[in-house]
Amino acid sequence: MTGPLVPGPVVRLLGTQPYVPVWQAMQLQARERDAARPDAFWCVEHPPVFTQGRNGRAEHLLDSGATPVVAIDRGGQVTWHGPGQLVVYTLVDLPRLGIGVRRLVEGLEQAVIDTLAQSGIHAQRREKAPGVYVGGAKIAALGLRIRHGRSIHGLALNIAPNLSPFQLMNPCGYPGLAATSMQHLLGPVDATRVREQLLAHLVEQLFPAEAASIRHEPSLPPELVRVLALGRCPAS
């Protein structure tokens, strides 16, 4: 006997957006959403920024230079976001999906692995080191925050970023961990195609097969519109 169908997620394409307003909008969405609110994937590219997880240690950021550093509420250590990197924020209700945090992490990792396989890249996960790796190099990072069973943050896949900022930190707290990208491994890559493949695999991993459909919304998330209009996150 199967459980009730869970509708597929809403996809929002945010384009290029500064990090802090998007983070605040995710917090607002998680705080205000009710049980009827559909799950969502927000796809975005950020200007260069280092983000430091809530348990992050300052020594793992070796040299930020002129790049902003933002202390945030996800797990994990330091990471970098910037042009050429696809970030997908996974705003999902775990109890409604009938999954726990470990299954969510595994689903995100597997979706990236399956997406890379479509381009001929053999990738794998690592025990006790969330993310996706090709050989000894990291190609995708994961970071999540779960509150009242709802997740914010998500994953970042290196499609064609400048890899030099990763040398200014210990990625996810691992000294000497190299970073790589699809472009570094393959040459020029169609980022739109990769994004659509990744979204399809995310739905396949997290949603029942019979409800595996994606609904694209052309507008920005209303929470982001509110944050941008106010210049800050509305008070709770």
Side-chain angles (χ1 to χ4, degrees), residues 100-226:
V101 178
R102 182 173 180 178
R103 176 66 187 93
L104 175 59
V105 170
E106 290 174 348
L108 299 184
E109 291 173 335
Q110 192 60 49
V112 173
I113 290 169
D114 292 343
T115 300
L116 293 171
Q118 286 187 266
S119 294
I121 298 173
H122 176 67
Q124 55 280 141
R125 58 172 58 88
R126 283 186 179 180
E127 190 69 24
K128 299 181 180 179
V132 177
Y133 302 81
V134 178
K138 194 164 194 175
I139 196 168
L142 269 67
L144 296 168
R145 167 75 168 170
I146 311 296
R147 189 173 184 184
H148 304 306
R150 292 163 181 163
S151 69
I152 62 173
H153 301 290
L155 64 88
L157 172 61
N158 294 338
I159 296 179
N162 176 5
L163 294 175
S164 62
F166 293 98
Q167 300 173 12
L168 304 177
M169 65 182 189
N170 297 326
C172 302
Y174 290 92
L177 177 62
T180 191
S181 70
M182 297 182 71
Q183 179 174 272
H184 180 75
L185 296 169
L186 300 173
V189 177
D190 184 338
T192 299
R193 177 181 59 83
V194 172
R195 184 190 69 215
E196 294 308 307
Q197 290 173 341
L198 178 56
L199 288 169
H201 286 301
L202 285 169
V203 171
E204 181 181 90
Q205 286 294 320
L206 301 179
F207 293 81
E210 58 267 40
S213 61
I214 296 175
R215 179 162 57 92
H216 282 78
E217 289 286 352
S219 58
L220 293 178
E223 297 85 2
L224 179 57
V225 172
R226 288 165 62 192

Side-chain angles (χ1 to χ4, degrees), residues 10 15 22 41 45 80 82 107 133 143 149 183 195 227:
V10 171
V22 176
F41 296 143
E45 186 174 271
W80 176 87
Y133 302 81
Q183 179 174 272
R195 184 190 69 215
V227 169

Side-chain angles (χ1 to χ4, degrees), residues 19 23 26-27 50-56 70-81 89 141-146 152-154 169 172:
Y19 183 85
W23 170 41
M26 284 191 289
Q27 293 175 309
F50 290 105
T51 67
Q52 184 72 275
R54 61 183 182 274
N55 299 317
V70 182
I72 59 172
D73 58 345
R74 62 162 172 79
Q77 298 284 332
V78 64
T79 194
W80 176 87
H81 298 307
Y89 293 123
L142 269 67
L144 296 168
R145 167 75 168 170
I146 311 296
I152 62 173
H153 301 290
M169 65 182 189
C172 302

